[in-house]
Amino acid sequence: MIGIEDCLSEAMSIPGALGAILVDHTSGMAVAGKGIPDPGRAAAGLSEAYRATLDGIALASQETGFRIEDVIVTTGTAYHLVRPMEMMFDGPLLLCVRLDVERSNLALARRRLRTITDELVAS
């Protein structure tokens, strides 16, 4: 079982991690962050991007009741992984990690992020 600070530390220990932020999906506010220059603005933008992804998938798919496991955005220099989780008392949260594209392994990072969020949800 891990707490929020341990969760962020674990995320930052992923090879190639440049920053990590935990976002309250409902309010769009940052819960905690490491290596993020402006956590407030980042949280709001990530929350909006996640909502837009949910809406787009719902409109483009005939599948009902789906659950997004993670969202990957690739830029020229970084991977941005967004992993949603449902906390029992805190509501829906997003764990977002920015990874250096040259120094990270996307598959390994996704697996590690899943483990971290599973441990946090179990807490």
Side-chain angles (χ1 to χ4, degrees):
M1 295 189 334
I2 62 174
I4 289 173
E5 286 302 317
D6 294 330
C7 171
L8 289 177
S9 294
E10 290 284 326
M12 290 299 290
S13 74
I14 296 171
L18 301 170
I21 188 169
L22 196 58
V23 178
D24 179 325
H25 173 274
T26 304
S27 68
M29 300 198 53
V31 174
K34 287 190 178 190
I36 305 293
D38 188 346
R41 288 184 62 193
L46 288 164
S47 185
E48 279 300 312
Y50 182 73
R51 272 189 220 114
T53 301
L54 275 175
D55 293 345
I57 296 295
L59 293 171
S61 174
Q62 294 179 346
E63 185 180 350
T64 59
F66 64 89
R67 181 184 174 280
I68 292 178
E69 287 189 27
D70 54 33
V71 176
I72 303 168
V73 177
T74 305
T75 65
T77 58
Y79 298 122
H80 302 264
L81 297 180
V82 179
R83 178 118 178 130
M85 57 189 145
E86 187 67 38
M87 302 295 289
M88 186 178 299
F89 299 108
D90 300 325
L93 297 176
L94 303 173
L95 177 57
C96 310
V97 180
R98 185 170 52 100
L99 302 159
D100 183 294
V101 74
E102 297 291 326
R103 298 183 307 131
S104 62
N105 177 318
L106 186 56
L108 176 67
R110 287 184 68 217
R111 290 182 65 110
R112 186 69 189 117
L113 203 58
R114 182 180 324 135
T115 301
I116 293 166
T117 56
D118 287 349
E119 288 176 7
L120 183 61
V121 169
S123 298

